Amino acid sequence: MGNIHHIELNVSDLDISMCFWSWFLEELGYQPFQVWDKGRSWKKDEMYLVFVQTKEQFISEGYHRGRTGLNHLAFQANSRQQVDNLAEKLEEKGIEILYRDLHPFAGGEQHYAVFFEDPDRIKVEFVAP
């Protein structure tokens, strides 16, 4: 009891976001779960992530992790090798690794992770145990 049931993210362009998120979530073992005209979801075990097209009247505001609300999403890797493998895939896909000069210890000397952003600039962290 008390586990996260789902997280719902509004995105500025559902198709672009799905191109980004689908491969990453599949890497982590998530499976497509729900599909409707303005949204998609991906499920792993009992938890799922939902992506919904932002309504037109709210798109101009944009997202910034420095504002009140979500700062970033952090996913648990199985190993440092899995973090390294994902970092390579990010580079192959042309996705910028954040804090490149400190990678893979941008979170501190004992924190092995890769940081990157989705198309709406939501920061994503993939961290080794």
Side-chain angles (χ1 to χ4, degrees):
M1 192 155 118
N3 293 334
I4 291 178
H5 183 266
H6 72 275
I7 296 171
E8 185 169 316
L9 300 173
N10 289 339
V11 297
S12 63
D13 187 308
L14 185 61
D15 291 334
I16 291 173
S17 290
M18 287 302 83
C19 287
F20 174 88
W21 283 100
S22 61
W23 73 268
F24 175 64
L25 293 173
E26 286 175 8
E27 287 284 322
L28 303 185
Y30 285 78
Q31 298 295 318
F33 179 49
Q34 300 163 314
V35 177
W36 65 101
D37 61 340
K38 299 290 184 185
R40 308 281 183 277
S41 69
W42 293 78
K43 187 172 186 176
K44 182 176 181 182
D45 301 322
E46 297 303 313
M47 191 277 209
Y48 59 99
L49 290 170
V50 182
F51 302 90
V52 177
Q53 176 63 51
T54 300
K55 292 179 180 176
E56 191 66 37
Q57 71 257 35
F58 301 118
I59 286 182
S60 65
E61 292 297 315
Y63 167 81
H64 193 284
R65 66 178 167 267
R67 293 187 187 122
T68 301
L70 179 74
N71 178 272
H72 71 282
L73 293 171
F75 294 86
Q76 180 73 54
N78 293 324
S79 65
R80 288 184 172 199
Q81 185 62 54
Q82 191 179 22
V83 170
D84 293 342
N85 292 346
L86 183 73
E88 286 179 25
K89 288 181 182 176
L90 291 168
E91 289 177 338
E92 289 170 8
K93 292 180 173 294
I95 298 169
E96 180 182 354
I97 293 175
L98 301 177
Y99 321 117
R100 178 50 112 174
D101 58 327
L102 299 172
H103 174 74
F105 296 105
E109 292 179 12
Q110 301 299 316
H111 193 82
Y112 198 93
V114 61
F115 296 85
F116 52 101
E117 291 177 326
D118 88 339
D120 287 307
R121 301 200 60 220
I122 295 173
K123 185 167 69 172
V124 182
E125 176 181 357
F126 192 51
V127 60

